[in-house]
Amino acid sequence: MVSGLLMTLAAGREPPPVEHPADSLISRAQDEVSRRMEENLNATALARLMGVSREYLTRKFREQIAITPHEYIVRQKMLHACHLLKETTLSSKEVSTRLGYREPAHFTRTFKRVLQMTPRQFRSVGSIPQVL
């Protein structure tokens, strides 16, 4: 009787969800971006690290999270910049260097494009966004 009950329960169990390879790819790519936040990482280098073409990675990013790898990298860097600007006394130039920008002016332009204010303005009046 007990073995019959166990067999019935085992037969009724749902199989464990199978993770789609593209989901795993995106998850791994996101982890890689987090690990390499302070490098000059771009979509081409990320695709190379993932062992796929840039086009394939871009297509999978768009399918899974509706943005390109480049947009994801920029958003994550800007979110990290917000934390550094609010929680440290690092200058904007030091933040840009820490995030892998070769030119502080490029960092400032990117920050302003994404957050609609300069790093200096953000430090004085901005709040860290939940999601960019």
Side-chain angles (χ1 to χ4, degrees):
M1 183 161 164
V2 172
S3 66
L5 179 60
L6 290 174
M7 288 182 66
T8 302
L9 287 173
R13 278 186 36 207
E14 292 182 32
V18 177
E19 189 174 85
H20 191 277
D23 296 343
S24 174
L25 173 69
I26 300 306
S27 179
R28 287 186 3 254
Q30 290 171 324
D31 289 344
E32 205 60 49
V33 170
S34 293
R35 273 195 295 279
R36 297 173 183 272
M37 189 63 62
E38 297 186 4
E39 295 178 20
N40 189 14
L41 184 66
N42 61 34
T44 302
L46 180 60
R48 194 174 314 119
L49 288 167
M50 298 294 97
V52 298
S53 71
R54 180 185 171 140
E55 294 76 17
Y56 181 79
L57 186 64
T58 298
R59 186 169 59 250
K60 293 305 170 187
F61 256 80
R62 284 184 194 256
E63 288 172 7
Q64 298 292 318
I65 61 174
I67 60 173
T68 67
H70 173 74
E71 291 168 321
Y72 181 79
I73 292 167
V74 169
R75 287 180 183 188
Q76 293 306 302
K77 284 188 179 252
M78 293 305 105
L79 185 58
H80 192 59
C82 288
H83 284 282
L84 291 174
L85 290 166
K86 282 295 188 180
E87 297 169 3
T88 71
T89 58
L90 294 172
S91 70
S92 180
K93 182 178 179 181
E94 290 168 320
V95 170
S96 73
T97 300
R98 227 184 234 197
L99 293 176
Y101 285 89
R102 291 187 187 119
E103 295 295 326
H106 181 226
F107 164 72
T108 300
R109 283 191 308 274
T110 303
F111 192 94
K112 188 170 183 177
R113 178 177 48 83
V114 173
L115 290 147
Q116 281 75 52
M117 65 178 82
T118 66
R120 182 182 302 227
Q121 291 168 328
F122 176 82
R123 181 169 261 159
S124 64
V125 299
S127 60
I128 297 174
Q130 294 295 326
V131 178
L132 284 177

